[in-house]
Amino acid sequence: MIEQPLRLGPPLDAPGYRLLHLLEPARPRRVAASPRAGLFAVATVCVGAFMGQLDASIVTVALPRMSTDLHAGVGAVEWVSLSYVLTLVALVVPIGAWADAIGRKSLYVGGFAVFTLASVACAFAPDLAVLCAFRVTQAVGAALMQANSVALIVAVTPSARLGRAVGIQAAAQAVGLAAGPAVGGLLLSVTSWRWLFLVNVPAGLIGLVTAALLLPRSRDLLPRRRLDPIGLALFVPTIGATLLALSLAAGRGQQGQALAAAAMAGVLGVALVGQQRRSGSPLIDRRMSANPAYRRGLAAGFAGYAVLFGTLVVVPLFLTRSGLAGSARLGLDLSALPAGIGVVAPFAGRCADRAPAAVARIGLGVAALAVLLLGVTKPSGLALVGILGLLGCGLGAFIPANNRSLMLAAPPGLSGASAGLLNMVRGMGTAAGTALAVAAFTMSSTPRLGLGVAAALLGGVCVAALFAAPAHSPVEGLDTCPSAD
């Protein structure tokens, strides 16, 4: 593929898009001609990546305090997190498809604004219902950012250096994920949980300004197309029912409700697949699903995120139930996993620019070894930190290599749709891994047995992903040249 210099194309002529393109003026910005324009854009996207993961992990530590202050039960207050996840996962695919026609920068900057304003609203919510409503709004902003973040990186980075850029973004996500519990615990020790939402405001303002100034306009936009309304109406409840079933499966005495939600998800899923096959404008472009290596890469990505978040959930359960670590020590021990991702991801991304499939498979192998060690040893102290760090290193090699291959495999002009699909798979993997690990732990008679069973299941997922991962980059299986968009 011949790399083209960064250029800014004309806006769409449709009147309905004039407001959106105020963010993408016709005259090129001076930064677009700079040889560092791509670096500036990647750094800007990393602000959003950091903030999104910080918010995802920081809120979880405050749920008990919210339950007390808002006079709500633990099951009810879980919807502070669940409403956010449901909305985010359900929207990233359609938003990614719209971005290919509307413009990625416009939606990304708008997402920053919505997310920041909703964070302020969450901080002043008077009760749980209002808080959950604003969390849904916050998730809409996060979906506008996440569905476009990787696509924006593809737009400004030559394919020969894409792995390094994606690795840097993965490192930013890991830093946010690691900082969340530590920052949340510190804030909760001195002030109210409401400040956990207000910390998003400074980062949101920085990201909003830098995104408006430094991100390039989308070029080579697709003609505006109408997404299948029936498919969209089926897609959102299908994803919602699936995540609800996974969430219920993780709780005691909720297996009946989980089976009912799973049955509903199955019925809706069959209807959705049938509708997508008949539709002339499906939500997921058929050119993406037609590549077997691309589908296997998505499956491997699902498994990788399931292992990551399943481990982040089951290890704290084991340590607290066993009395092996207090909250302060627990946060430090857990930080070894995202720290391993953050250290390895940029270097692995650079290696993935030369051998993406090999780097992804090596990373999965290291991750599988670490999870199995977690189950067969008695993890505590430095041994636990070492195992979690090893798991982070394995996932830090796998994630950027796999993401790079998937984004380059997107057909011309569909990097937004591909990024949305990638983020949906990530959210589903997160929910599945959490549910699997919690269910395995709670159904076991002792904490040690629970950790062993959960680790065995997560290790099996990792091994399955190792065999499912494509033996070559998915981009090699396409007949068309991948677009840098």
Side-chain angles (χ1 to χ4, degrees):
M1 182 179 66
I2 299 175
E3 297 297 339
Q4 299 293 333
L6 181 64
R7 294 180 299 176
L8 307 180
L12 294 177
D13 295 329
Y17 291 113
R18 288 174 184 168
L19 179 60
L20 289 172
H21 284 93
L22 290 176
L23 297 172
E24 304 187 10
R27 295 184 63 185
R29 296 187 185 278
R30 187 175 303 171
V31 70
S34 168
R36 297 183 179 179
L39 178 62
F40 293 149
V42 172
T44 299
V45 171
C46 285
V47 175
F50 170 83
M51 190 171 72
Q53 290 303 305
L54 178 73
D55 185 77
S57 59
I58 200 173
V59 171
T60 57
V61 302
L63 293 181
R65 183 80 63 87
M66 291 179 184
S67 177
T68 301
D69 292 352
L70 298 175
H71 308 289
V74 176
V77 83
E78 284 181 349
W79 280 94
V80 174
S81 293
L82 188 58
S83 60
Y84 181 91
V85 174
L86 287 172
T87 305
L88 179 64
V89 174
L91 290 182
V92 285
V93 167
I95 287 176
W98 288 328
D100 290 322
I102 295 173
R104 295 171 197 88
K105 175 180 178 177
S106 300
L107 294 183
Y108 190 86
V109 175
F112 251 121
V114 171
F115 186 90
T116 304
L117 291 174
S119 296
V120 176
C122 286
F124 293 97
D127 55 47
L128 181 61
V130 175
L131 176 59
C132 289
F134 285 132
R135 283 287 280 173
V136 169
T137 307
Q138 197 181 34
V140 173
L144 289 168
M145 290 190 292
Q146 289 192 20
N148 290 283
S149 58
V150 181
L152 283 165
I153 291 177
V154 173
V156 299
T157 307
S159 59
R161 296 196 296 271
L162 182 59
R164 179 173 59 178
V166 173
I168 292 172
Q169 189 222 18
Q173 290 178 325
V175 171
L177 187 65
V183 173
L186 178 63
L187 287 174
L188 287 175
S189 67
V190 296
T191 187
S192 166
W193 57 265
R194 299 181 184 275
W195 281 94
L196 272 64
F197 295 105
L198 292 176
V199 296
N200 291 328
V201 176
L205 293 176
I206 293 172
L208 188 61
V209 172
T210 55
L213 294 177
L214 300 179
L215 290 180
R217 295 175 62 195
S218 298
R219 56 188 176 87
D220 302 325
L221 294 173
L222 295 179
R224 186 175 55 159
R225 69 184 182 99
R226 182 190 181 198
L227 293 179
D228 178 19
I230 299 177
L232 185 60
L234 289 170
F235 179 79
V236 174
T238 298
I239 297 299
T242 302
L243 291 180
L244 181 60
L246 292 172
S247 176
L248 292 172
R252 284 182 177 271
Q254 297 179 313
Q255 282 70 31
Q257 297 95 315
L259 289 174
M264 181 182 298
V267 172
L268 290 171
V270 170
L272 175 62
V273 171
Q275 176 63 26
Q276 291 299 282
R277 288 178 175 175
R278 294 188 299 269
S279 174
S281 55
L283 294 175
I284 299 175
D285 194 281
R286 295 187 181 94
R287 287 175 290 173
M288 291 191 293
S289 59
N291 184 5
Y294 187 88
R295 295 196 301 268
R296 293 174 67 182
L298 285 177
F302 173 91
Y305 287 113
V307 171
L308 170 60
F309 284 91
T311 304
L312 286 174
V313 167
V314 76
V315 169
L317 286 174
F318 167 72
L319 293 178
T320 53
R321 297 285 177 87
S322 302
L324 296 176
S327 57
R329 173 67 181 275
L330 179 60
L332 291 175
D333 287 348
L334 283 178
S335 65
L337 201 167
I341 297 176
V343 169
V344 171
F347 301 100
R350 182 176 299 183
C351 295
D353 286 326
R354 299 181 178 180
V359 173
R361 284 175 168 267
I362 291 172
L364 281 174
V366 172
L369 174 63
V371 174
L372 294 176
L373 284 175
L374 189 66
V376 300
T377 62
K378 185 178 181 181
S380 61
L382 292 178
L384 176 62
V385 171
I387 292 173
L388 292 177
L390 182 64
L391 176 59
C393 290
L395 293 175
F398 164 71
I399 291 173
N402 195 59
N403 289 357
R404 174 197 181 276
S405 296
L406 287 172
M407 290 306 300
L408 285 180
L414 292 179
S415 60
S418 182
L421 185 58
L422 176 61
N423 277 283
M424 186 197 74
V425 167
R426 173 185 170 188
M428 297 295 290
T430 297
T434 300
L436 180 66
V438 172
F441 187 87
T442 56
M443 292 179 183
S444 300
S445 57
T446 65
R448 185 68 190 88
L449 179 61
L451 177 64
V453 173
L457 291 175
L458 293 174
V461 170
C462 210
V463 172
L466 180 62
F467 286 100
H472 55 78
S473 173
V475 71
E476 297 171 11
L478 293 181
D479 295 329
T480 58
C481 180
S483 170
D485 216 13

